[in-house]
Amino acid sequence: MSDRADPGNTRLHLIGSRSVQTQCLLDVLNEHLPASLHTSLADAVSIVCLREEVDEVHTILLIDVTYLGIERILEELRSAKLPENTYPALMNVDRDAAWSSQSVVHGIRGLFFDDDPVSVVLKGVVALLDGGVWISRETLLKAIVQPAREHGPNGGAHSNSNELTRREREILGLICVGATNQEIADKLFISTNTVKTHIYKIYKKIDVPNRMQAALWGAKNL
């Protein structure tokens, strides 16, 4: 279940070096994805610097881990506090990387491995454009079952769960199973604006910045 984005109101920032490989990938994306999708190659730029550009539109940040390094990427994601309509994804990831599940906790929506063919990258980017995720079930499961202390200050067992109202717990449960705002509104017979208000309050109470982390928190604490 996903919130499909309008390609004409969507951006894809490929963050990496201006290498032949990166430029070729961008060319392939431009060739096979909707022509109305706005794409760019951003080198020598921090994620934080893109913060102002991603407020109004659905944005995918496709970040080369060999270019920025995972420690810097995760630190900048924590600092940038990206809006919910921004989906960061990592490419050139080592399949054996021990930090893969940790990256999910920090809001990463997609993982593309260094041996993935271009066809897989294209399929994954389409999933992100549709509001989905491109992460294996195994990695998501590892993220959910990590010890609570690895999830940051909000990670204590059942932390803050008693502060949620019945309606907020209901909505968080629906977020955990992948329901979109519209699907939540339809199921609970409320407006999408009301859903957004509840979600905003949920984020504040459980101290998470985005939907992915709320789902992970809910899977551990509800």
Side-chain angles (χ1 to χ4, degrees), residues 157-213:
H158 300 286
S159 171
N160 298 333
S161 60
N162 291 333
E163 296 182 11
L164 298 174
T165 66
R166 182 188 61 79
R167 177 66 90 189
E168 288 166 352
R169 292 172 67 87
E170 193 172 19
I171 289 174
L172 181 55
L174 290 169
I175 289 175
C176 288
V177 298
T180 66
N181 288 354
Q182 186 62 59
E183 288 166 340
I184 293 172
D186 292 343
K187 184 175 182 62
L188 301 181
F189 302 102
I190 57 179
S191 70
T192 55
N193 285 336
T194 300
V195 172
K196 291 177 182 178
T197 298
H198 280 303
I199 292 175
Y200 174 79
K201 291 179 179 178
I202 291 169
Y203 288 177
K204 289 292 185 180
K205 288 183 178 181
I206 66 176
D207 190 23
V208 298
N210 55 52
R211 202 180 195 91
M212 176 70 78
Q213 291 192 35

Side-chain angles (χ1 to χ4, degrees), residues 124-177:
V125 170
V126 169
L128 295 172
L129 285 172
D130 285 347
V133 297
W134 191 256
I135 298 173
S136 70
R137 291 182 180 179
E138 179 184 4
T139 301
L140 287 173
L141 180 60
K142 286 181 180 179
I144 290 173
V145 301
Q146 284 184 85
R149 57 184 173 82
E150 295 182 17
H151 286 248
N154 59 311
H158 300 286
S159 171
N160 298 333
S161 60
N162 291 333
E163 296 182 11
L164 298 174
T165 66
R166 182 188 61 79
R167 177 66 90 189
E168 288 166 352
R169 292 172 67 87
E170 193 172 19
I171 289 174
L172 181 55
L174 290 169
I175 289 175
C176 288
V177 298

